[in-house]
Amino acid sequence: MLTIRQQLSMFVPPQSATDLERVRHIVDPIQSNLIPAHITLCREDELTDFSTIRDRLKNLQMPAITLNFGPAQVFYEHGLILHCISGEEVFLQLREYVLGTNEIRKQYPHLTLAHPRNPKDTGNSLALAASLSHPLKISFTDIHLIEQEGSAPWRVLQSFPLSQ
């Protein structure tokens, strides 16, 4: 049986993604080919009433959110991650608005460079990931409903712009 996953994500805009994508492609080409650099806003288990969530997203009146990310760190053996170091409050407010409640789990924005579920690639190197400038300031302008079937690359089903 084919597993289908959906989530809400915010992709790093192309003008901010060049160096990030270069590093991601070297440290974890599998992850890089599955999905562009992004932060996950809401995971699949949180999207149970998507028609209501879609209505909120269509009426969203929030400006683009800007987050700053710190230096690369190792997690779970060979994973590489950039944790958000500022701007998290507005990310959490956006999650609360989208989900329609403040009774939600705390989710911290981060950028995954190399995912530990993928085999460690020969290019997986904290030194290479550390070459990214930090703090890395990124403004996210859109929310995307994305879907993955099995282990295929994620695809965008619908996009919701933040007000500019």
Side-chain angles (χ1 to χ4, degrees), residues 82-138:
L82 303 176
H83 290 288
C84 179
I85 57 173
S86 69
E88 180 182 298
E89 313 77 33
V90 80
F91 173 82
L92 296 174
Q93 289 170 358
L94 180 58
R95 275 182 48 77
E96 289 174 358
Y97 172 79
V98 168
L99 294 172
T101 180
N102 61 0
E103 298 294 318
I104 56 176
R105 71 174 167 251
K106 195 104 164 172
Q107 182 170 304
Y108 300 96
H110 63 273
L111 295 167
T112 302
L113 303 176
H115 207 294
R117 81 171 143 244
N118 299 326
K120 183 176 182 177
D121 193 86
T122 57
N124 183 297
S125 158
L126 181 58
L128 176 61
S131 70
L132 293 168
S133 63
H134 60 280
L136 181 62
K137 182 178 183 177
I138 301 174

Side-chain angles (χ1 to χ4, degrees), residues 8-10 41-42 52-65 90-100 140-144 159-164:
L8 291 175
S9 292
M10 301 171 75
L41 183 64
C42 300
T52 302
I53 290 172
R54 179 179 281 122
D55 289 343
R56 279 192 214 99
L57 288 167
K58 286 180 178 178
N59 295 307
L60 187 60
Q61 294 297 310
M62 290 182 74
I65 66 170
V90 80
F91 173 82
L92 296 174
Q93 289 170 358
L94 180 58
R95 275 182 48 77
E96 289 174 358
Y97 172 79
V98 168
L99 294 172
F140 296 89
T141 59
D142 299 279
I143 299 170
H144 305 279
S159 297
F160 305 91
L162 295 167
S163 56
Q164 301 298 321

